[in-house]
C-alpha cells in the first residue's frame, strides 16, 4: 500500500507532509531568487500580472451565454474546490475583468484602474471573491506560481545589532527571540532589497517584453528597519562588500509563501470597522510604540500591519460591500496613482496590489451624491478610475438550474453545463426538451434531486424534488428577469429564454413551414438580468416545501414526500407578495409570468410520459430513411439503389408507412398502392420540400439523401419522436385515461401504465414521482382524448363524401 493511502494516523501525517512539501520552496539566497526570476518572470510579477497568470493557467472552454459563443476562463469554475464556488454565468463581465488585468499588467495606462464588480444581490459577486482567493491560493502552491517575499535575522552581525550586549531589537512586538527570523509583514517583494538602478537592470534583463516585472518597489518600513541596522553595523566595520554582507544568508532569506487572505490578499468586509487608516493599512500600538521608540521616532515594529492594503500587498486587495466603506474609496486613489500609502508622517510604504471593489447597486447612489456639481464633483477622480463590470442574474435556464441545485442540495462539481449548441437541437444538454430518448438525468433542470431532511424530532426523511421541479423553478426565475419591451411581435418569454440558452430557435410559420431565428436576428435592449427573482428566494421557497409533507397520499407510495414542479411554481408565485425584496409592481408582473412556465413544464412532463408509453413503438430512423429514399426516387421517377441493384420505388412500402406508421391516411386514400392527389401532395409538400430546404441550408456540399440528418427536418423529427397523444391512442386503442389512477386488472390501461412507470423509473423518476407525473398527464389528456375521438369522427364523415377523382386538393397537415 502506498504510504499516502494508509488510513491511520501516520499515513495522514505523511500525506500532510507530501502536500506541504509541494506547496513551498526551501529558503533561497537573493542571487538564487534572481536566477529564478530570469528563468520564470512570473516569480517577480506585479500584482495584476500575477492574478492574470493564475487565471490563464487553467485555460479556457467555450460556452454559450445570452445566445453568444464565448471563451470562458476555467479558473472561474473553481476547479480547485470541485466547483464549490464557481461563478456561474457572467462570462462577458469576467472576460472584461481579465482584459483589465492584462492592460494593467502590460502598463498600458490602465494600471491606475480600480476594478468595480457591481450587481444586485445573489448574482455571484461573493462567489467571485471566493473563487479568486481559492484560485490564487492554489496557483501559489504550483511550481509556476510560487510567490516570494523576504525574511530577516539581524543577529550575528559583529557584536550584535540593536543595543548593549548584542540583544536583537528586531521583532514584531515586546521582547522577541534573539535568534528568530522575521518575515516582512506586508509580503515585501524580494527585488525591493536591491538599489533602484540594479532593480532596473534586472528588469531589463528579464525576457518578457509584454509584461514588465515589479521592479519599481522599495522596501517596506519593517524590512527597511532591518536593512538599515545591518547596513550600519557592516558600514562601521568597513566592509567593502556591504550589500553582500547585508543580504548574506545569515541575515536574509527569500522564502515562498502560499497566497491567502492576509498573505497577499486583503479583504475588507462590510462589518470591519475602525478609522480609515486602520482599515486601510493598520495602526500604531501605543504601549509597544513607547517601549520600542529607541530612536526618538515611531518605530515600524510597533505598527500593526493588519489593514486591507497591508494584507493585500503583492497580489490583490478586495473591498466587499464597497458602499459600506465609501469613505475609503477616495483615499484609495493614491494607491493606483502613486503605488504608495502613508503609515504616518514621514513613514510610507510602497504597494503593489490589484484593487477590486465589490458592491450592490447602492454604490451608484453614493458615487452620484455630488453629480449635480459637475466639474466640482469631489468624486469625479474616483469615478474616472473605477472600471465597472456588471454582474447580472442568469438568463440561461440550465445554469440557473445548476445554481439552484447547489443552493438547495449542496450539489458540488466543476460546472459542465456550457450551453453550447452543437447543431443538434435535440441534445438535452442544450435544448429545452425535444429529444424522444431524453433522460431527465441528462441535465440539471430535469434531473430529480433527493435530499435528506432532518425533522424537529431528529429523524431524517428522504424527500424528492421530482424531475423538472428544479428546471421549472429555474425557468420561472429566468423569465422574471427578461425584459418584455424589446420582444418582437408574437414572440414569447419562453422563446426568449430558449434563444438565450441555445443561440437560435426553430419556429413554425403559418404556412406550415419552419424558420430559424438566431440571437443576432433579434435586437434585444440589453436590460435582461438586472431585475427578477434571485436564486436565494427560490432556494428558501424550495427549502420550505422540503420541510413539510404535501397534501396528498397513496396506499403504497410516499407521494407526500415528493415536491412536484407545480408545487414549486405555486409556492414561488404565492410567496412573492410577502417577500420584502419585491415591490408591488414587481409582484404583479412576476405573478403574470407564471402561466407560460406552467404550460412549458406540463409539455415536458407530457413528453416524458408519452415517450415512456411509446418506447417500443417509436419508429427506427432506418425505417424513416428508407421511406424518404423511396419518396425521393418516386418523385424523381428514378430507381432506388439496393443490394440487388436498381429497383423501382416500393409503392406498397410507402403506403404501409403512411397508413400504419404515420396514421395519416387509410385505404380510401390510394388506388391500390398508387397515391391519390392528396397523398402525392403530402409527399411533395411535407417531405420532399423539407429535403429541399435542408439541401439549401447545407449548400456547398454535395447533397445526398444519405447525408440527411432526419432529426433536423421538423416533419421527419415528428415521426421519429412519435410523442403525440394521437400516437398513443392509435397504438393503444383500448387504453382509458380516465382509469389511469386505478386501472382495472388485466386491461390494456393496466399494462401500459405498468410499462410506462417502469420506463420512467429507468429514466430517473422514483416510483412516487412517476405515479404523480403520469397521473397529471393523463388527467390533462382526458379532454384531449375526447376531442381526438370527435375529430376522427368528423374526418370519417368528410372522407365518406369526398370526390374519389382526386379529392379537394387540400394538403393534410403533418400536425
Amino acid at each position: 500500500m502506498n504510504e499516502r493511502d494508509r488510513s491511520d494516523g501516520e499515513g495522514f501525517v505523511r500525506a500532510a507532509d507530501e502536500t506541504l512539501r509541494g506547496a513551498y520552496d526551501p529558503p533561497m539566497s537573493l542571487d538564487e531568487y534572481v536566477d529564478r526570476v530570469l528563468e520564470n518572470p512570473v516569480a517577480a510579477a506585479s500584482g495584476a500580472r500575477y492574478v492574470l497568470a493564475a487565471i490563464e493557467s487553467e485555460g479556457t472552454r467555450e460556452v454559450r451565454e445570452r445566445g453568444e459563443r464565448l471563451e470562458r476562463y476555467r479558473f472561474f469554475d473553481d476547479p480547485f474546490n470541485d466547483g464549490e464556488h464557481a461563478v456561474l454565468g457572467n462570462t462577458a463581465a469576467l472576460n472584461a475583468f481579465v482584459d483589465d488585468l492584462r492592460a494593467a499588467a502590460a502598463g498600458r495606462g490602465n494600471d491606475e484602474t480600480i476594478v468595480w464588480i457591481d450587481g444586485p444581490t445573489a448574482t455571484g459577486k461573493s462567489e467571485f471573491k471566493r473563487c479568486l482567493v481559492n484560485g490564487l491560493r492554489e496557483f501559489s502552491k504550483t511550481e509556476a506560481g510560487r510567490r516570494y517575499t523576504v525574511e530577516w535575522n539581524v543577529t550575528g552581525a559583529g557584536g550584535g545589532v540593536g543595543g548593549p550586549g548584542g540583544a536583537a531589537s528586531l521583532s514584531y512586538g515586546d521582547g522577541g527571540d534573539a535568534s528568530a527570523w522575521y518575515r516582512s509583514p506586508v509580503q515585501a517583494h524580494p527585488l525591493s532589497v536591491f538599489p533602484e538602478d540594479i532593480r532596473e537592470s534586472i528588469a531589463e534583463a528579464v525576457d518578457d517584453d509584454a509584461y514588465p516585472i515589479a521592479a519599481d518597489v522599495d522596501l517596506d518600513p519593517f524590512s527597511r528597519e532591518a536593512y538599515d541596522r545591518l547596513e550600519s553595523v557592516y558600514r562601521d566595520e568597513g566592509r567593502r562588500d556591504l550589500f553582500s554582507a547585508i543580504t548574506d544568508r545569515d541575515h536574509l532569506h527569500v522564502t515562498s509563501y502560499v497566497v491567502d487572505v492576509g498573505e497577499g490578499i486583503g479583504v475588507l468586509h462590510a462589518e470591519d470597522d475602525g478609522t480609515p487608516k486602520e482599515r486601510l493599512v493598520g495602526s500604531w500600538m501605543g504601549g509597544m510604540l513607547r517601549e520600542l521608540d529607541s530612536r526618538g521616532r515611531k518605530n515600524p515594529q510597533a505598527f500593526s500591519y493588519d489593514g486591507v492594503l497591508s494584507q493585500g500587498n503583492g497580489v490583490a486587495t478586495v473591498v466587499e460591500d464597497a458602499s459600506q466603506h465609501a469613505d475609503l474609496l477616495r483615499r484609495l486613489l493614491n494607491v493606483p496613482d502613486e503605488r504608495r500609502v502613508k503609515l504616518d508622517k514621514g513613514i510610507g510604504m510602497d504597494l503593489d496590489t490589484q484593487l477590486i471593489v465589490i458592491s450592490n447597486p447602492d454604490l451608484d447612489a453614493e458615487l452620484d451624491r455630488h453629480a449635480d456639481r459637475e466639474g466640482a464633483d469631489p468624486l469625479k477622480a474616483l469615478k474616472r478610475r473605477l472600471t465597472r463590470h456588471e454582474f447580472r442574474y442568469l438568463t440561461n435556464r440550465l445554469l440557473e438550474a445548476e445554481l439552484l441545485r447547489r443552493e438547495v442540495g449542496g450539489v458540488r462539481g466543476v460546472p459542465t453545463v456550457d450551453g453550447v449548441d452543437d447543431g443538434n437541437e435535440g441534445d438535452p444538454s442544450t435544448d429545452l426538451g425535444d429529444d424522444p430518448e431524453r433522460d431527465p438525468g441528462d441535465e440539471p433542470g430535469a434531473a430529480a434531486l433527493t435530499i435528506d431532511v432532518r425533522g424537529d424530532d431528529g429523524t431524517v426523511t428522504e424527500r424528492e424534488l421530482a424531475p423538472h421541479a428544479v428546471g421549472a423553478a429555474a425557468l420561472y426565475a429566468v423569465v422574471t428577469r427578461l425584459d418584455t419591451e424589446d420582444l418582437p411581435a408574437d414572440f414569447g418569454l419562453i422563446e426568449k429564454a430558449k434563444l438565450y440558452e441555445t443561440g437560435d430557435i426553430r419556429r413554425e410559420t403559418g404556412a406550415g413551414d419552419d424558420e430559424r431565428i438566431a440571437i443576432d436576428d433579434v435586437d434585444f435592449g440589453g436590460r435582461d438580468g438586472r431585475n427578477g427573482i434571485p436564486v436565494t428566494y427560490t432556494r428558501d421557497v424550495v427549502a420550505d416545501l422540503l420541510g413539510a409533507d404535501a397534501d396528498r397520499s397513496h396506499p403504497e407510495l410516499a407521494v407526500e414526500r415528493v415536491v412536484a414542479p407545480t408545487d414549486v411554481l405555486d409556492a414561488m408565485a404565492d410567496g412573492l407578495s410577502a417577500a420584502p425584496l419585491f415591490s408591488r409592481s414587481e409582484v404583479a408582473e412576476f405573478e403574470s409570468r407564471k402561466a407560460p412556465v406552467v404550460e412549458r413544464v406540463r409539455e415536458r412532463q407530457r413528453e416524458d410520459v408519452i415517450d415512456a408509453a411509446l418506447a417500443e413503438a417509436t419508429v427506427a430512423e432506418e425505417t424513416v430513411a428508407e421511406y424518404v429514399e423511396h419518396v425521393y426516387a418516386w418523385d424523381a421517377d428514378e430507381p432506388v439503389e439496393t443490394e440487388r441493384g436498381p429497383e423501382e420505388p416500393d409503392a406498397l412500402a410507402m403506403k404501409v408507412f403512411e397508413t400504419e406508421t404515420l396514421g395519416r391516411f387509410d385505404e380510401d386514400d390510394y388506388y391500390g398502392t398508387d397515391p391519390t392527389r392528396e397523398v402525392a401532395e403530402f409527399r411533395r409538400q411535407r417531405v420532399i420540400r423539407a429535403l429541399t430546404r435542408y439541401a439549401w441550408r447545407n449548400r456547398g456540399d454535395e447533397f445526398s439523401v444519405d447525408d440527411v440528418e432526419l432529426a433536423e427536418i421538423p416533419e421527419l423529427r415528428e415521426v421519429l419522436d412519435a410523442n403525440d397523444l394521437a400516437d398513443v391512442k392509435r397504438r393503444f386503442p383500448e387504453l382509458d385515461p380516465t382509469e389511469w389512477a386505478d386501472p382495472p386488472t388485466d386491461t390494456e390501461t393496466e399494462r401500459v401504465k405498468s410499462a410506462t412507470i417502469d420506463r420512467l423509473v429507468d429514466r430517473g423518476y422514483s416510483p412516487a414521482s412517476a405515479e404523480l407525473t403520469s397521473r397529471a398527464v393523463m388527467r390533462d389528456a382526458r379532454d384531449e382524448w375526447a376531442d381526438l375521438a370527435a375529430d376522427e369522427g368528423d374526418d370519417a364523415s368528410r372522407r365518406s363524401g369526398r370526390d374519389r377523382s382526386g379529392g379537394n386538393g387540400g394538403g393534410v397537415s403533418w400536425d
Side-chain angles (χ1 to χ4, degrees), residues 634-654:
W634 164 81
D635 181 63
D637 196 19
E638 296 177 351
V640 175
E641 292 294 332
T642 69
E643 295 179 355
R644 298 180 297 276
E647 295 183 358
E648 291 296 316
D650 193 332
L652 179 60
M654 287 186 283

Side-chain angles (χ1 to χ4, degrees), residues 439-441 446-449 464-467 759-766 769:
D439 183 336
L449 181 60
E464 177 191 3
L465 280 167
R759 294 187 187 112
L760 287 173
V761 171
D762 289 341
R763 297 178 182 184
Y765 282 79
S766 70
S769 60

Side-chain angles (χ1 to χ4, degrees), residues 84-117:
E84 180 180 3
H85 297 297
V87 182
L88 297 184
N90 286 301
T91 296
L94 293 171
N95 288 350
F97 164 65
V98 176
D99 289 342
D100 280 350
L101 294 176
R102 189 171 289 112
R108 297 198 301 264
N110 290 61
D111 50 352
E112 298 179 3
T113 293
I114 300 175
V115 176
W116 178 15
I117 305 297

